[in-house]
Each structure stands twice: as C-alpha cells, then as structure tokens.
C-alpha cells in the first residue's frame, strides 16, 4: 500500500496546520501559527510519478494524501487505507533507518503476535512484529484524526531532533474497513523495549509508566499477582504520598528519592531534550503522556560475548575482544536511532564519576495522542472539585491542563534523574 500511485484522497488543508494552543485554546482547532506551512486547499489529486521518490522531501500534499486499496479475502471485500504513506515512508527511512523492503519483511514475513489489550484504561490492543522491533497498536476514533492533524508538526519536530527526541517514532497509519464490523484504526511504531543484537542480551526486569502524578499511581501486590506488569510512579519512588487505584492512601517512606543515574555529562542533555519534547506536546495541547521506563541488569557474561574457547577450555582473549567490538558496532550502527539507545538498545547507568554501572535503562515518551479536549476539560473540572471539597491539592489529579501537566511531568523527571 505504501508504494501505490493511485488517486489520493484529499482530507482538507485545514487538518494540516500545526497549531500553537494557548491555555484557553485561542486560535481554534487547526489554526496555523505565523510562519508555519499550510497546505493549499484543493480537490483529490493524482499522485505524481515521483511521489514515492526516497530522495524527495514530503510536501504539504503528502500529509493529506490517503492511498486506498480494495482487497478480497476469503470471498469478502474490504477496504485498506494508508494515510500519508510517503510521509511515513520518509520517517522510516530518514529517522528510523528502515528501508521499505525491511519494513515489509518485518510486518509481513511472519504472522503478527497478538498480545491483547494493554494494561491502561484506553482499551487499545497491541500486536508485535515477529522480531519484536515494531508495535502495531489500535487507535481510538478521536486519536486518529488528531494524529493526522498534528502530523506535519510532528514530522518537523522529529526531523529537527532526530538523534535526541524521546517521542515515539510513528511509522505507519492505517485504516481497515471490514464488512459488518467496526473500522479498525492502526498505528505502527517502534518498540522501546526491543533489545537488539546477539546473545547474551540484557533482559528487562522492571517496567514503569511514569506520569508525574501521585493519585491512583500505585500498583498493589494484588494487582501484580493478577498479571499487571507495568508499575507506576509510587512503585518507582515510594518517598511520596499518594493513592492506589482504589483511592487507598500510600504513605511516603523516609529517605531520599530514587533516581535514574545517567551521569553528569548526559544529565543536562537528557533534561534539555525532554523539555524540548514536552514543549512540542504542550504547544499541541497534549496531555496524559508518560515516560515508559524499563530497567535491565547487565548480563554477567557481557564481557565474554560469543567467546571462542580453545580445546583446553581457556578463554581466547583476542577472540573475546573481537567479539565484544563486533557486538558494540552492531548495536551502535544497526539499532541505535537516538543517543538514548547506545547501549544494547538502551542507556547504561553511570555514577557521578562517569563510571559505568550494571543497569541499562530503556525509556521514551509514549501515549502522545490525548488532546486536552472538551471531554478532558469536564473530567478535570469534576475531579478538581472533588479534590477541593476534600481539602486536597487539585493539581495532583491526572486530567489537568496541558501546561500544568507539562510542568508537573518535567518536575518529576528532573527530580528523579541524576
């Protein structure tokens, strides 16, 4: 579908702007800021012969093009749509180092692995590619047009921050219409917890979804026993007061907060880039995102990767050094899309003296398609009222204005990273 040169479907120039939303939403949905590119309106346009030329930079028309294909499977006809196919092809090639053939092979060579619904409240389901490198996620009806609307701004942000941004890499956006069934909306993205390369590979032992909120942000032992594997803010750092999902109080433990140890040299870069990403999210009135974090111990035999042993069982030091160097090159060149994926697909912990520690962090910002829309405003107003009547801080709730959410998120991250 990404190679089609059939007639595109114009979805309207007003959907392409990259709005800068003020706190009260001035400018209206889809209104462009000064100096921002806006596509010229027009009817359906036929794709040019060079429309999928990999050397071409996406133009305004590319962001609104929808390639459609009618297919028949087991006697039933269904419609398959690829939204902005050339834009996502450009993202894959330029910012994810994945060529078309590799993308097709990854998505189609083996059946996708269905893992069911996620552990969040959205009810979206997930599938993995066979090699675990890509995630295919169902998208809610409200999120789909929102991603289309911010796609130009998203592309420009990733282009300007290719090696530094912690935002997800969206690699494809599709819609499938089956007879007598609801429309399926799917987005393809990178898997933050994919650990690449040869054995021995680090194994992620703990996973956290960090929002910077403290209300209903604790996973109990009962929930863990029921299968919940992704922990929350109060599980990560127990030195804060908060509540679990049932509203039960979680009292803070005495002592200093838990911190991610990434070293002084990388701390300033990490904080600057997470603030840059959050500025993009705030400008598009986005909230409810998280820092997805995985921690993995460094394998004890990492220094003996693919060792060749002599007949008497002694380690060949030269072969060991060569194998370790080959592994490092593999990870850095083939799988490293950002500076936060240098060490086996993640970032190895460092102490204040820049000495490596035996933990690797896998992290990135996820769930960036929730706009602070009318529904969220009503939820915020109701929960704020409940907090005020209870004599509690209303800024602790999750559903807050995008500016408040952004500041709280940044404060929590900077307080827990060193």
């Amino acid at each position: 579908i990404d190679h089609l040169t059939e007639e595109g479907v114009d979805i309207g120039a007003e959907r392409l702007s990259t709005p800068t939303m003020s706190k009260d939403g001035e400018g209206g949905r889809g209104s462009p800021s000064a100096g921002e590119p806006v596509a010229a309106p027009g009817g359906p346009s036929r794709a040019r012969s060079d429309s999928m030329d990999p050397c071409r930079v996406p133009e305004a028309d590319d962001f609104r093009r929808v390639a459609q294909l009618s297919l028949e499977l087991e006697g039933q006809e269904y419609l398959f749509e690829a939204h902005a196919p050339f834009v996502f092809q450009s993202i894959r090639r330029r910012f994810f180092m994945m060529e078309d053939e590799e993308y097709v092979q990854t998505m189609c060579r083996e059946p996708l692995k269905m893992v069911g619904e996620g552990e969040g409240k959205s009810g979206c389901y997930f599938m993995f590619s066979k090699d675990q490198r890509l995630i295919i996620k169902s998208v809610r009806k409200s999120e789909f047009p929102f991603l289309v609307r911010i796609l130009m701004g998203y592309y420009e942000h990733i282009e300007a921050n290719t090696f530094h941004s912690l935002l997800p890499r969206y690699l494809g956006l599709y819609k499938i219409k089956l007879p007598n069934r609801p429309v399926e909306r799917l987005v393809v993205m990178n898997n933050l917890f994919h650990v690449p390369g040869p054995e021995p590979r680090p194994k992620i032992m703990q996973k956290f979804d960090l929002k910077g909120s403290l209300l209903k942000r604790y996973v109990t032992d009962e929930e863990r026993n029921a299968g919940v594997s992704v922990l929350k803010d109060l599980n990560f750092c127990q030195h804060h007061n908060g509540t679990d999902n049932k509203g039960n109080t979680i009292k803070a433990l005495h002592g200093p907060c838990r911190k991610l140890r990434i070293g002084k040299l990388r701390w300033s870069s990490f904080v600057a880039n997470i603030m840059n990403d959050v500025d993009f999210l705030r400008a598009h009135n986005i909230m409810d995102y998280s820092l997805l974090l995985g921690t993995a111990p460094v394998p004890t035999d990492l220094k003996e990767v693919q060792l060749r042993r002599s007949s008497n069982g002694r380690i060949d030091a030269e072969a060991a050094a060569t194998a370790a160097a080959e592994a490092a090159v593999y990870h850095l060149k083939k799988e490293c899309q950002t500076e936060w994926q240098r060490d086996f697909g993640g970032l190895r912990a460092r102490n204040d003296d820049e000495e490596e520690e035996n933990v690797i962090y896998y992290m990135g910002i996820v769930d960036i398609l929730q706009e602070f829309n009318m529904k969220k405003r009503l939820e915020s107003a109701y929960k704020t009222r409940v907090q005020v009547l209870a004599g509690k801080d209303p800024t602790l709730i999750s559903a807050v204005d995008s500016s408040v959410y952004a500041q709280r998120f940044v404060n929590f991250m900077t307080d827990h990273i060193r």
Side-chain angles (χ1 to χ4, degrees):
I1 191 71
D2 284 343
H3 298 282
L4 292 179
T5 56
E6 298 178 352
E7 185 175 272
V9 179
D10 194 321
I11 60 174
E14 70 278 3
R15 308 286 290 279
L16 300 179
S17 59
T18 52
T20 301
M21 302 293 291
S22 63
K23 187 173 182 179
D24 58 358
E26 287 182 358
R29 178 175 297 185
S31 60
S33 299
E36 291 177 339
V38 180
S45 58
R46 183 170 296 278
R48 300 184 302 273
S49 59
D50 65 342
S51 63
M52 301 302 284
D53 180 0
C55 297
R56 186 173 67 82
V57 176
E59 301 172 357
D61 284 347
D62 295 311
F63 288 88
R64 64 167 172 250
R65 180 165 289 115
V66 180
Q68 296 181 336
L69 186 65
S70 180
L71 301 173
E72 185 174 314
L73 179 65
E74 296 180 353
Q76 288 191 321
E77 185 177 359
Y78 66 94
L79 185 66
F80 187 90
E81 294 181 354
H83 285 249
F86 177 71
V87 175
F88 288 106
Q89 182 200 52
S90 180
I91 292 174
R92 294 193 300 268
R93 294 174 65 101
R94 297 181 62 192
F95 314 137
F96 197 67
M97 296 183 290
M98 177 176 276
E99 297 294 330
D100 295 342
E101 182 178 353
E102 183 180 3
Y103 180 67
V104 172
Q105 289 294 316
T106 301
M107 292 284 287
C108 306
R109 181 176 55 215
E110 299 284 348
L112 302 175
K113 180 182 178 182
M114 172 69 78
V115 294
E117 291 187 4
E119 296 176 4
K121 299 178 181 179
S122 67
C124 297
Y125 61 83
F126 293 81
M127 296 177 283
F128 287 92
S129 60
K130 181 68 174 181
D131 61 4
Q132 302 285 304
R133 191 177 178 189
L134 303 181
I135 292 177
I136 302 89
K137 178 186 177 183
S138 65
V139 180
R140 289 181 293 183
K141 187 176 181 179
S142 61
E143 294 176 337
F144 195 97
F146 182 68
L147 176 54
V148 172
R149 199 168 81 241
I150 69 169
L151 184 56
M152 183 178 288
Y154 168 81
Y155 184 94
E156 292 171 349
H157 181 81
I158 296 298
E159 182 179 38
N161 303 278
T162 303
F163 196 58
H164 310 288
S165 177
L166 288 135
L167 297 185
R169 299 303 189 261
Y170 290 127
L171 308 175
L173 185 63
Y174 306 106
K175 187 182 293 185
I176 304 174
K177 298 179 180 179
L178 298 167
N180 304 318
R181 290 185 59 182
V183 175
E184 297 287 347
R185 301 170 181 86
L186 304 172
V187 65
V188 182
M189 68 185 79
N190 62 311
N191 178 14
L192 281 175
F193 290 160
H194 170 60
V195 182
E199 296 290 351
R201 281 181 269 182
K203 183 178 180 181
I204 296 176
M205 304 301 293
Q206 285 189 314
K207 301 175 184 178
F208 299 92
D209 180 89
L210 306 177
K211 292 181 180 289
S213 174
L214 301 176
L215 296 184
K216 297 186 178 182
R217 300 299 298 169
Y218 182 79
V219 177
T220 63
D221 291 339
E222 180 182 357
E223 289 171 321
R224 293 197 207 187
N225 294 334
V228 176
S229 60
V230 181
L231 307 179
K232 298 181 180 180
D233 303 67
L234 292 174
N235 300 102
F236 175 77
C237 181
Q238 299 181 6
H239 302 286
H240 302 274
N241 293 316
T243 64
D244 62 15
N245 280 331
K246 295 181 179 179
N248 299 317
T249 300
I250 305 297
K251 292 186 178 181
L253 301 179
H254 295 290
C257 285
R258 177 180 179 180
K259 295 181 182 291
L260 299 180
R261 297 164 60 87
I262 62 175
K264 292 182 178 179
L265 297 179
R266 293 188 295 190
W267 182 88
S268 58
S269 176
F270 184 86
V271 171
N273 283 288
I274 204 169
M275 292 178 67
N276 186 42
D277 285 334
V278 168
D279 282 343
F280 166 82
L281 299 173
R282 174 168 41 196
H284 289 80
N285 207 25
I286 297 170
M287 43 81 71
D288 216 22
Y289 44 87
S290 311
L291 183 79
L292 187 61
L293 168 69
T295 63
V298 176
T300 55
D301 52 352
L302 182 61
K303 295 181 180 180
E304 300 177 3
V305 175
Q306 296 178 336
L307 294 180
R308 300 181 181 89
R309 295 179 178 273
S310 61
S311 57
N312 61 5
R314 294 181 180 177
I315 295 176
D316 185 334
E318 183 178 353
T322 301
E326 290 174 352
V329 170
Y330 177 93
H331 289 289
L332 184 59
K333 291 188 175 181
K334 183 174 177 60
E335 297 288 353
C336 178
Q337 280 87 43
T338 73
E339 64 175 307
W340 320 116
Q341 296 173 295
R342 289 176 173 272
D343 307 309
F344 286 83
L347 192 67
R348 190 162 181 173
R350 294 172 183 263
N351 61 24
D352 293 339
D353 296 323
E354 297 300 322
E355 297 172 336
E356 290 185 338
E357 298 186 338
N358 294 322
V359 178
I360 298 178
Y361 303 126
Y362 296 84
M363 53 190 170
I365 298 175
V366 297
D367 297 332
I368 66 168
L369 298 180
Q370 178 59 62
E371 184 181 19
F372 189 61
N373 52 23
M374 183 56 68
K375 180 179 178 180
K376 282 295 181 180
R377 289 177 188 274
L378 292 174
E379 179 186 345
S380 178
Y382 172 75
K383 291 184 176 180
T384 296
R385 182 63 175 168
V386 171
Q387 286 289 100
V388 170
L389 291 175
K392 298 179 180 179
D393 186 355
T395 63
L396 296 178
I397 64 174
S398 180
V400 293
D401 175 270
S402 57
S403 295
V404 176
Y405 192 98
Q407 189 60 58
R408 184 178 66 191
F409 181 83
V410 169
N411 289 344
F412 186 88
M413 298 309 151
T414 53
D415 288 345
H416 294 83
I417 298 172
R418 60 177 295 179

